[in-house]
Amino acid sequence: MKITAADVIVTSPSRNFVTLKITTDEGITGLGDATLNGRELAVATYLKEHLAPLLLNRDPHNIEDTWQFLYRSSYWRRGPVTMAAIAAVDMALWDIKGKVAGLPVYQLLGGASRTGLRTYGHASGRDLPELFDSIREHLEEGYKSIRIQTSVPGIKSLYGVAAQAQSSGERYDYEPAGRGDLPTEEDWDTRAYLRHVPTVFEAVRNEFGPEIPLLHDGHHRMTPIQAAKLGKSLEPYDLYWLEDCTPAENQDALRLVRQHTTTPLAIGEVFNTVYDFQTLIREQLIDYVRAASTHFGGISPLKKVMDYAALYQIRSGFHGPTDVSPVGLAAQSHVGLAIHNFGIQEYMEHSEATNSVFEQSLNFADGYLHPGDKPGLGVELNEEAAARFEYQRAYLPYNRLADGTVHDW
Ligand SMILES: [Mg+2]
């Protein structure tokens, strides 16, 4: 069996997606997600100009060899662009292998360790009544675990808070990259945030009781001592996890946070390789691995990092925003179903427009996801539908403090 074509499809049904389609001489095709939110065309070009020529005539069955060849032969290792491109190839090859075998990918990874993936949804509100409505709506939809983000008094716009009440109509992306020529500017005040967040969790626990697993995302905005303080102040509310409490580049910061709080920590959605997790896992500085198959080199390395994490009772919490395409979500769902140390899967439903482009066997019911039992990843690309949605440049927002200093978004 040989690879005869590697095509890159860029489409924008409500947000941009980059998809790799690998075709073989036997007519079997495989899909991979290469979407890097806000920098999509860099990966599309990397795939088209640099990886596609290397793939032609290779045996698609040699997934590990192809991965190592692409990683090592480039000389320039790691980084989100490189690793998203390699991820797309890896996923597409697993998709092909599954189709040849007549098995869903999770069967090739060892079979199912559970009947479904417990998910968490994103509740948010500009104030407590709006937040409570959003939580109720998620509970009615079947979600068993819920991430809580709210506005903070004195801060005009904030990450993770819906710009409109969730019940006001069609489901939408909570954090779409802004469309247009320039990124949107937001404001930030860490002290106001640290004062406000514990009061929100206290109110949520008073309203909804102690049982629902609650999560919160700090989005890399705190210093280590601020993160330690927040973790400690949230302990009475028994969080499932506190996510990205400090910028991920400084892994030593997590030691300080860990010394001060028993609030479980999740980190790693911007990580690209197992090396980014090496210290955090070995020193047991985190509780959940937040990598996404799409930004982490694909299915193969995601399975490896989770096997490493299993030695330390660290579990998965794969990044699942809507900029991870249905192909990327399916890829990590197969891993999540197979590994023993699965924790929870972030799940934001894709838009109807996105689902018209990506036809999926993924199933969400009663708060649980299942990637389905179609051979391969279980996602097919409707290329005619994809062609109807033209790429639009889109940037994520960014932050400035009151004095004009740029801050982490
Ligand atoms: Mg996050």
Side-chain angles (χ1 to χ4, degrees):
M1 203 175 190
K2 277 185 178 158
I3 294 172
T4 53
D7 298 303
V8 179
I9 298 105
V10 179
T11 180
S12 190
S14 66
R15 69 185 318 153
N16 295 315
F17 294 110
V18 177
T19 307
L20 175 70
K21 178 184 170 188
I22 291 181
T23 305
T24 65
D25 57 353
E26 294 180 19
I28 294 173
T29 60
L31 296 178
D33 178 24
T35 307
L36 187 61
N37 195 6
R39 297 292 186 274
E40 296 88 356
L41 297 188
V43 192
T45 304
Y46 191 111
L47 279 167
K48 269 186 237 173
E49 300 295 329
H50 304 296
L51 294 200
L54 300 178
L55 294 173
L56 296 181
N57 297 316
R58 290 185 68 84
D59 182 345
H61 276 306
N62 297 341
I63 300 175
E64 182 67 19
D65 181 65
T66 300
W67 195 100
Q68 298 294 345
F69 167 60
L70 297 180
Y71 182 78
R72 292 168 196 277
S73 69
S74 68
Y75 187 67
W76 311 107
R77 298 182 186 199
R78 306 165 75 176
V81 175
T82 299
M83 299 312 291
I86 294 176
V89 175
D90 183 81
M91 287 179 208
L93 297 186
W94 278 104
D95 195 18
I96 289 169
K97 193 180 282 294
K99 287 175 180 174
V100 171
L103 292 169
V105 168
Y106 74 81
Q107 294 289 12
L108 307 178
L109 299 174
S113 288
R114 57 196 51 77
T115 53
L117 307 176
R118 187 173 54 164
T119 59
Y120 72 88
H122 290 199
S124 71
R126 288 165 296 190
D127 51 29
L128 285 178
E130 206 173 276
L131 174 66
F132 289 179
D133 285 348
S134 178
I135 293 171
R136 282 191 195 97
E137 194 168 306
H138 279 83
L139 293 173
E140 281 163 20
E141 287 171 22
Y143 285 99
K144 307 278 185 285
S145 309
I146 297 180
R147 190 185 84 163
I148 302 288
Q149 310 289 139
T150 63
S151 295
V152 174
I155 299 177
K156 288 190 285 293
S157 54
L158 190 50
Y159 157 80
V161 179
Q164 64 202 84
Q166 198 185 337
S167 52
S168 67
E170 191 193 334
R171 223 173 224 290
Y172 61 96
D173 294 341
Y174 287 81
E175 21 179 324
R179 298 201 169 210
D181 287 337
L182 295 168
T184 313
E185 186 178 303
E186 297 185 347
D187 55 336
W188 181 246
D189 178 344
T190 307
R191 294 189 72 237
Y193 165 79
L194 292 176
R195 281 195 304 274
H196 185 66
V197 173
T199 69
V200 171
F201 277 87
E202 182 183 19
V204 170
R205 283 294 181 213
N206 287 341
E207 180 75 11
F208 294 93
E211 286 175 21
I212 307 171
L214 299 176
L215 303 85
H216 181 68
D217 189 352
H219 233 236
H220 320 279
R221 293 174 183 202
M222 287 165 273
T223 64
I225 199 70
Q226 288 168 338
K229 183 178 177 178
L230 181 64
K232 206 168 172 178
S233 63
L234 291 174
E235 280 173 18
Y237 314 114
D238 189 26
L239 264 62
Y240 186 90
W241 79 36
L242 173 61
E243 171 182 345
D244 288 335
C245 58
T246 59
E249 295 95 318
N250 178 13
Q251 306 206 336
D252 291 338
L254 273 295
R255 278 194 203 100
L256 191 146
V257 180
R258 199 62 145 175
Q259 282 161 8
H260 291 280
T261 181
T262 56
T263 294
L265 303 175
I267 211 158
E269 66 187 49
V270 301
F271 289 180
N272 311 130
T273 70
V274 67
Y275 300 106
D276 301 320
F277 280 108
Q278 197 170 8
T279 303
L280 300 183
I281 290 175
R282 191 183 57 233
E283 297 191 22
Q284 302 180 76
L285 301 178
I286 57 171
D287 301 280
Y288 296 93
V289 166
R290 281 285 289 156
S293 57
T294 306
H295 307 122
F296 200 71
I299 290 169
S300 304
L302 198 61
K303 174 74 164 60
K304 288 179 191 175
V305 76
M306 289 319 302
D307 289 343
Y308 178 43
L311 303 180
Y312 301 93
Q313 294 173 285
I314 294 169
R315 294 189 284 158
S316 68
F318 301 145
H319 192 211
T322 50
D323 52 276
V324 168
S325 91
V327 179
L329 180 65
Q332 61 197 32
S333 297
H334 284 281
V335 176
L337 201 65
I339 57 174
H340 178 254
N341 55 329
F342 171 80
I344 200 164
Q345 174 62 54
E346 181 178 28
Y347 184 52
M348 300 171 74
E349 291 153 64
H350 283 107
S351 69
E352 275 180 38
T354 297
N355 292 336
S356 75
V357 171
F358 298 93
E359 294 158 6
Q360 306 164 58
S361 62
L362 190 89
N363 175 46
F364 177 67
D366 198 30
Y368 287 82
L369 266 185
H370 192 288
D373 280 302
K374 282 196 179 155
L377 293 176
V379 184
E380 293 302 325
L381 184 73
N382 181 333
E383 291 186 51
E384 269 175 39
R388 286 201 288 273
F389 300 104
E390 209 174 305
Y391 168 79
Q392 278 185 276
R393 191 191 313 157
Y395 289 105
L396 289 160
Y398 78 109
N399 263 329
R400 284 188 190 276
L401 306 179
D403 70 354
T405 306
V406 172
H407 194 67
D408 296 302
W409 186 79

